[in-house]
Amino acid sequence: MEIASMNNDEKPSNFFTKGLLWFKSLHEKIFAKIVGIAKQFKTIAKDDPRRVIHSLKVGLSLTLVSLFYYFQPLYNSFGVSTIWAIMTVVVVFEFSVGATLGKGLNRGMATLLAGALGVGAHYLASATGKVVEPILLGLFVFLQACALTFIRFFPQVKARYDYGMLIFILTFCLVSISGFRVDEIVDMAHKRISTILMGASVCVIVSIVVCPVWAGEDLHKLVAQNMEKLGKFLEGFGDEIYKSSEDITESKVTKTSLIEYKSVLNSKNTEETLANFAKWEPGHGQFKYRHPWKQYLKIGGLIRQCACRIDALNAYINSEIKAPEENREMIKETSMKMSIECGKALKELSKSMRKMNLPISADEHVTNAKNSAKKLNSLLKSRINNWEEINLLQVIPLATIASILTDIVICVEEIGQGVNELASLANFKTTKSSKEIINTNKVMVVEKIELSNNHVVITINEQNMKL
């Protein structure tokens, strides 16, 4: 009996002790959670300080449109409809100028057109009498909703005007249906459209005036950065091609480059989104009106093709099946030069694109890579008869590496052509070094030779060589 009573006394004390420990641990967990959230805030702000500025811009815009409520004269003019200005700021304000301008124009134009058509539909239906009016209004709503919803599936409309189509459907329904129960339909539509337009205007003005974030510049930098990533990988990869598998595994540079080039493979959606937003933006800085944004998508597609070949090259390099050392050494120097020259060419193209200069200096590296590719092809043809006694599984990786490197050279040449086309369309600048390169590629052409009084007269003309 004494033992049982002791156990009963210990249970409450143990329960109280566990509860106290749980409360202390809960305090520590909450504190650790707060510290983790604070670190996350710091990391996000440090990665892109523009995010902090964007948050302040949204707060400023909401404060400005809230003045419609704070000042009695403004509230008397618009009444409860001022809430539409606040809703517009919350929905329309985006990170970049292009996204904000696109959404603002979509919302403003759709509201204006749908409001006018809604009022017209209301008056047309009301003229038919109380019995037919609801039927006719329902028919109008059905027809416009079906037609615009189907139009949203068009790729061109989906890319740029999808949001506007949604707002058109919503506004038309609100105005036309509300008019069935509200007598002052014109006044109601006027107030809603005015407040929405003012909210969209505030978003656009703040987005452009206060530390603007241009989607076009982000696209320009992204494409140049992707080129530089591939260039760094190929330039560093040339030194890694014929190292042992242990050295490749231990190489930190190779691991970092691997992560960087793989991020290029997933950049298509980001590029298309930025190009769509950039089309809405007005001319700014070096990006004039009607800047060739489509050319960036073309270059981005070529860069991803090159990244796919690099991915395949990396897979064969890290394969466990290796060709004999003698045959590997045969093409080692040429393969390394191809990779390094391609890397240098991509880095030069990226550098000239960032500065918006003519990419003339990259042509020399492309030419060197093409010459190395021809040399590699000749080496493979000259030694192929000696590979008859070698295991086929050992030969395939070596031949595949040579083939993929040749494809990479072709891709780099196509990227260079794309950048040259962009330079022509966007009127890139000609630097002093570019002029010197152009001048060094001039040839002397003899046009005419004349003999007169024991003298020889030679007429010479300078012409530029094709790069």
Side-chain angles (χ1 to χ4, degrees):
M1 296 293 295
E2 292 180 357
I3 294 173
S5 61
M6 289 177 62
N7 290 333
N8 292 332
D9 292 337
E10 288 178 357
K11 286 182 180 179
S13 61
N14 290 337
F15 180 78
F16 178 77
T17 304
K18 290 180 179 179
L20 184 61
L21 293 174
W22 177 84
F23 182 77
K24 289 182 178 180
S25 63
L26 178 64
H27 177 268
E28 293 175 354
K29 288 179 181 179
I30 293 174
F31 180 75
K33 193 72 174 178
I34 294 173
V35 172
I37 293 173
K39 289 182 178 179
Q40 191 174 7
F41 267 91
K42 183 179 178 181
T43 303
I44 294 174
K46 190 175 181 181
D47 289 342
D48 193 349
R50 297 180 301 175
R51 295 169 180 168
V52 179
I53 299 174
H54 173 70
S55 303
L56 297 174
K57 287 160 66 176
V58 174
L60 174 62
S61 300
L62 284 173
T63 303
L64 291 175
V65 296
S66 298
L67 296 177
F68 290 111
Y69 267 102
Y70 299 150
F71 291 97
Q72 193 64 33
L74 292 174
Y75 183 79
N76 292 337
S77 300
F78 297 100
V80 183
S81 296
T82 52
I83 194 65
W84 288 94
I86 297 175
M87 291 174 61
T88 300
V89 172
V90 174
V91 174
V92 167
F93 211 114
E94 294 288 342
F95 185 70
S96 65
V97 174
T100 303
L101 193 57
K103 265 196 169 184
L105 291 175
N106 268 281
R107 189 176 181 89
M109 294 302 297
T111 302
L112 189 61
L113 294 175
L117 289 176
V119 173
H122 164 71
Y123 278 108
L124 182 62
S126 61
T128 60
K130 293 294 183 182
V131 178
V132 184
E133 181 180 0
I135 300 174
L136 199 57
L137 283 175
L139 180 62
F140 288 153
V141 170
F142 174 78
L143 291 176
Q144 67 90 24
C146 290
L148 293 179
T149 302
F150 185 78
I151 292 174
R152 288 179 59 203
F153 289 108
F154 289 27
Q156 298 86 351
V157 176
K158 188 75 175 176
R160 300 195 68 185
Y161 306 108
D162 187 65
Y163 180 71
M165 291 294 174
L166 287 175
I167 296 301
F168 189 98
I169 296 172
L170 175 63
T171 305
F172 183 88
C173 293
L174 289 176
V175 174
S176 60
I177 296 174
S178 299
F180 184 70
R181 298 293 183 184
V182 179
D183 294 331
E184 298 177 352
I185 179 66
V186 176
D187 183 60
M188 180 195 70
H190 173 262
K191 289 180 178 179
R192 289 188 180 181
I193 293 172
S194 300
T195 52
I196 288 173
L197 292 177
M198 283 187 285
S201 300
V202 169
C203 292
V204 172
I205 292 171
V206 173
S207 180
I208 294 176
V209 173
V210 183
C211 300
V213 177
W214 302 101
E217 289 185 6
D218 287 348
L219 175 63
H220 184 86
K221 292 177 181 177
L222 177 63
V223 174
Q225 185 179 15
N226 287 343
M227 263 192 289
E228 187 176 7
K229 287 179 181 179
L230 298 188
K232 286 181 178 179
F233 180 86
L234 288 171
E235 196 173 7
F237 199 63
D239 298 329
E240 301 284 335
I241 286 181
Y242 293 103
K243 285 186 177 181
S244 64
S245 58
E246 294 181 359
D247 293 336
I248 293 176
T249 303
E250 294 175 358
S251 177
K252 295 182 180 179
V253 177
T254 304
K255 287 184 178 180
T256 305
S257 301
L258 180 65
I259 297 172
E260 289 182 350
Y261 94 77
K262 285 202 170 184
S263 67
V264 177
L265 296 171
N266 303 319
S267 62
K268 181 179 179 180
N269 291 335
T270 304
E271 290 175 2
E272 290 180 347
T273 302
L274 290 174
N276 182 36
F277 292 155
K279 292 175 183 178
W280 290 104
E281 295 177 346
H284 56 280
Q286 293 178 305
F287 304 95
K288 306 301 181 183
Y289 179 66
R290 298 183 67 84
H291 193 76
W293 301 116
K294 286 185 179 180
Q295 186 65 20
Y296 287 90
L297 299 181
K298 179 182 177 181
I299 296 173
L302 294 172
I303 291 173
R304 281 188 295 276
Q305 290 180 17
C306 187
C308 289
R309 285 161 174 77
I310 288 175
D311 195 29
L313 176 66
N314 185 66
Y316 276 101
I317 289 296
N318 294 325
S319 174
E320 295 181 358
I321 302 174
K322 302 290 184 182
E325 187 69 25
E326 178 183 355
N327 292 320
R328 292 171 60 194
E329 287 293 330
M330 178 188 67
I331 64 171
K332 176 180 178 180
E333 182 179 352
T334 310
S335 300
M336 289 175 61
K337 188 173 182 181
M338 287 172 65
S339 180
I340 292 173
E341 290 294 335
C342 286
K344 289 180 178 179
L346 288 174
K347 289 177 71 175
E348 288 293 332
L349 289 171
S350 174
K351 182 179 177 181
S352 64
M353 190 170 175
R354 286 179 186 274
K355 297 181 178 180
M356 300 189 78
N357 298 328
L358 290 175
I360 297 177
S361 56
D363 293 339
E364 181 181 354
H365 298 296
V366 174
T367 303
N368 293 336
K370 289 170 68 177
N371 293 334
S372 299
K374 292 178 181 178
K375 183 179 179 181
L376 179 61
N377 189 30
S378 300
L379 285 172
L380 292 176
K381 286 182 178 179
S382 63
R383 297 295 183 91
I384 196 168
N385 294 327
N386 299 328
W387 290 1
E388 294 178 355
E389 299 179 357
I390 300 175
N391 186 355
L392 184 61
L393 293 177
Q394 294 179 336
V395 175
I396 288 175
L398 192 64
T400 304
I401 289 171
S403 176
I404 294 175
L405 279 172
T406 304
D407 285 344
I408 289 175
V409 173
I410 296 172
C411 282
V412 172
E413 185 180 14
E414 291 177 348
I415 292 172
Q417 292 173 357
V419 175
N420 282 322
E421 187 176 350
L422 175 64
S424 175
L425 294 172
N427 297 320
F428 281 9
K429 297 179 295 184
T430 303
T431 60
K432 291 182 179 179
S433 57
S434 299
K435 291 179 180 178
E436 291 174 359
I437 293 174
I438 292 173
N439 291 330
T440 57
N441 285 277
K442 288 182 177 179
V443 296
M444 313 299 287
V445 178
V446 178
E447 286 190 345
K448 186 169 56 176
I449 302 177
E450 298 177 354
L451 296 175
S452 176
N453 298 326
N454 298 326
H455 294 282
V456 180
V457 180
I458 302 174
T459 305
I460 298 176
N461 181 28
E462 289 185 352
Q463 295 182 358
N464 292 333
M465 293 178 63
K466 291 185 179 179
L467 298 176

